[in-house]
Amino acid sequence: MTARTSYIGRFAPSPTGPLHIGSLVAAMASYLDAKAHHGQWLVRIEDVDVGRNVAGADQHILASLQRCGMHWDGDVTWQTQRYPLYQQAIGQLGDLVYPCGCSRREIADSQLNLSGQQAQALIYPGICRDGLAPGKVGRALRLKVPQSPHCVLSFEDRWAGHYSQDLTAEVGDFVLHRADGYWAYQLAVVVDDGAQGITDIVRGADLLDSTPRQLYLQHVLGLPQPTYLHVPVVVNDVGEKLSKQTGAQAFDTGADPQVLLRDAMLPAARFLGLDIHAETIDAFWRTATPAWAQLLQTLPRQP
C-alpha cells in the first residue's frame, strides 16, 4: 500500500462505560488503518454529552486500549476542554444559526400527517426558522439547511461505497447546541476533526447517516472534508447494536493478555474479515496490519 505521510486518524469513544466488543472493532479498524497508511492515530474522549458520562470510564477506556497494544500519538483530548472552539464556530456561522423553542413533542406533532420514511424520524419542519413565536423561548440553537434547491450531499465511503442523503427532506435544520445546555455531537465532532487535522475517519456504520450533516458543517465552516470508512457494527442476538443500553459487557475484564487476545482481539479481527493467527498481542499487530492493507484492496472504494 502506498504510504500517505499526511494521514491523521482518530478513535473517539464516549465515556459512558467501558469499551465492549463493538467498540473494540471500531478502535481496531481505525488503528489498523492508521498503521497501514504509516499515519498518526489520535484518541479523543467525546464527553460532550455530560449527562451520560460515567465517572472513571475515560481512564478505563485508555487503559484497555493500552492493554490491547494500541498506542496513540500525541496527547489525549477531551471535548469538555474544548468549549471555546465550539463557541467560536457558532460565531463564525453567523445568521445560519437561530434559536429554537420547540420541544420534541411539538416536532413530532407537526409530523402527524407524514408517512413513510419521513414519519420515522424527527425531521425539523422549520417552525422557528424565521423567528420565535410570541411566548416562546429559545431552548436550542439550530443550523439552517438550504431549502430550495434541496441540499443533497453524497460521498464515497471506503467500505460501504456511494452514500447520498437529502439533508433538507430527511433531516431539516439540525441542532448545534442542545436545549439541555450541552453542545451537540454534530458540531463538536466537526470542529474537533478540523482543529486536529483529521484526514481519515474510520468508525461504525451506525454513524453513516450522520456524515452528510458533518459534510454540510465542514462546508459552511470552511473545513476540509476527510475521507470516511464505516465498518459494520456488532449486534446482539436480537439484532440490536451492542451498547450499554442493550447490555453490552466490557471486553476487558483485567484478564491475562493471552485471554484478552483470545477472547476479544481475535474475535474482533474476525468480525472485520481478518483471519489472524497469533500467540501474543505484539504478534497480532505484526500480522493484522498487512492483513488490513490487503483487505482494503477488496473494498468498493479506495483513494
Side-chain angles (χ1 to χ4, degrees), residues 71-92:
H71 305 295
W72 50 86
D73 296 294
D75 295 329
V76 176
T77 59
W78 279 259
Q79 285 184 327
T80 47
Q81 300 172 352
R82 303 169 71 82
Y83 289 168
L85 292 177
Y86 311 150
Q87 189 64 57
Q88 181 180 347
I90 292 292
Q92 184 179 342

Side-chain angles (χ1 to χ4, degrees), residues 126-150:
I127 298 169
C128 299
R129 173 182 260 256
D130 297 320
L132 293 168
K136 269 193 178 293
V137 177
R139 305 171 66 247
L141 294 177
R142 289 185 182 271
L143 179 67
K144 291 180 179 178
V145 173
Q147 300 297 297
S148 181
H150 279 204

